[in-house]
Amino acid sequence: MHPFVNTAVRAARKAGETIVRGLTRFEGVETATKGLNDYVTNIDRAAEAEIIDILHTAYPHHAFLAEESGASGNADTTWIIDPLDGTTNFMHGFPQFAVSIACQVRDVIEHAVIYDPMRQEIFTASRGGGAYLESRRLRVSKQRTLEGSLIGTGFPYRENLHYLDPYMAMLRTVMTTAAGVRRPGAAALDLAYVAAGRTDGFFEIGLKAWDTAAGTLMVREAGGLVGTLDGGDYRQNGNIIAGNPRVYMALVEAFAPHLPADLREAALEQTAREVAARAQAALKSAEAADDAG
Ligand code: IPD
Ligand code: CA
Ligand code: CA
């Protein structure tokens, strides 16, 4: 395991302990809604401070982009941190949330750690080195079609509510085709589950870099594809499809008729030829995965 991953795992476990402790105490103050929100915010902040403290002590020259404290430092290497992904779940004692830590060097995500403190599952990945759940190598699922698949998603809200109509059209297509749709409520884990083959694909509008930085590397290292909603290059802009190569391509095709102009990001940046080349590479990689058993 790369030393960066080791340190990030240590930080994620420490934050996870704080989160689980917070969950236990939270059950005693369930009616104090305002206090409750503050309390959860304190847990978010405490977990983030612990992560940054451990990483900063080990790597004093690295920079940080963290959900609660924002950007700090100026270096080629940046740690992108969501200390508690799934805060709404946490606030309700719904046990689906995670710590997400990614290490980015210049523009490339090199390492990723996602920790589910309730199940004590540690997902790790390093670019070119594969994705793991503990010591088990992860592979995306072998599901060949959208029919029969299990798809994860997240609902648009707040500043993304204006995408509700196109989102509902996309959801409708998936609901009427796939075997099932899940909205678990922690995007980092949603991506880790695609990597682990627990779901076949995932899509969401309006995520942030700290939601997806670790998960996107995890999916890619497990043999999956990550792109924008129209199949373009994903650059942590938050509008995302991830999946095994075949389900990914099926989602790109299924969503194409429903995307408003501002979600056609590939069309803005890429020629049709590039999009076609990407599709071909996706299918080749699916066939290679099938051949490998
Ligand atoms: C949220 C979760 C959720 C997603 C939201 C995110 P947070 O993160 O990942 O699944 O739908 O868009 O903001 O706020 O709980 O860290
Ligand atoms: Ca989040
Ligand atoms: Ca968060």
Side-chain angles (χ1 to χ4, degrees):
M1 198 184 271
H2 192 284
F4 284 12
V5 177
N6 251 320
T7 313
V9 165
R10 193 153 51 82
R13 283 197 199 277
K14 182 91 198 287
E17 279 170 25
T18 298
I19 293 166
V20 171
R21 248 198 334 268
L23 191 75
T24 324
R25 277 195 223 139
F26 152 80
E27 280 167 353
V29 286
E30 56 202 299
T31 52
T33 311
K34 190 164 184 291
L36 190 68
N37 283 335
D38 289 344
Y39 178 71
V40 168
T41 301
N42 289 347
I43 294 295
D44 288 341
R45 292 213 186 95
E48 185 167 300
E50 284 168 346
I51 295 166
I52 292 179
D53 183 48
I54 288 173
L55 294 172
H56 182 69
T57 303
Y59 312 111
H61 302 299
H62 290 180
F64 293 92
L65 173 63
E67 181 175 11
E68 309 306 335
S69 56
S72 59
N74 184 12
D76 279 351
T77 303
T78 302
W79 292 91
I80 304 177
I81 300 162
D82 190 336
L84 173 44
D85 183 46
T87 300
T88 305
N89 284 346
F90 174 80
M91 284 168 59
H92 290 82
F94 187 100
Q96 179 79 0
F97 39 79
V99 179
S100 176
I101 303 176
C103 179
Q104 177 178 271
V105 181
R106 275 159 234 113
D107 278 343
V108 181
I109 309 289
E110 294 287 348
H111 307 286
V113 171
I114 295 172
Y115 179 46
D116 173 347
M118 298 309 289
R119 297 178 185 84
Q120 302 198 340
E121 288 187 325
I122 281 270
F123 299 85
T124 59
S126 288
R127 193 166 67 89
Y132 292 83
L133 169 50
E134 313 293 341
S135 58
R136 185 165 63 82
R137 181 91 191 239
L138 296 180
R139 290 295 306 178
V140 290
S141 79
K142 292 192 185 331
Q143 174 66 30
R144 299 176 77 90
T145 56
L146 201 49
E147 290 81 1
S149 67
L150 184 61
I151 303 297
T153 188
F155 304 140
Y157 65 112
R158 290 188 203 143
E159 71 271 19
N160 292 296
L161 260 183
H162 63 283
Y163 288 127
L164 194 57
D165 286 346
Y167 176 82
M168 293 307 278
M170 292 154 71
L171 182 63
R172 185 189 172 88
T173 308
V174 175
M175 281 176 67
T176 52
T177 316
V181 181
R182 300 289 180 267
R183 196 289 190 241
L189 272 187
D190 293 340
L191 289 164
Y193 279 24
V194 172
R198 293 175 180 175
T199 54
D200 305 300
F202 167 74
F203 69 102
E204 185 159 348
I205 296 173
L207 289 170
K208 300 285 195 291
W210 44 78
D211 297 315
T212 59
T216 51
L217 179 65
M218 206 79 69
V219 170
R220 288 180 172 131
E221 288 298 323
L225 292 176
V226 178
T228 53
L229 295 170
D230 59 346
D233 274 351
Y234 182 74
R235 298 188 189 131
Q236 310 303 330
N237 69 334
N239 307 319
I240 190 170
I241 299 180
N244 85 28
R246 284 197 174 85
V247 169
Y248 169 90
M249 286 312 300
L251 288 172
V252 171
E253 274 168 32
F255 293 163
H258 307 298
L259 295 179
D262 61 344
L263 289 179
R264 292 177 192 278
E265 296 170 76
L268 295 176
E269 290 179 11
Q270 294 174 292
T271 64
R273 208 141 110 229
E274 283 170 325
V275 174
R278 194 180 160 84
Q280 232 166 22
L283 286 177
K284 255 200 200 140
S285 117
E287 272 153 22
D290 285 355
D291 288 350

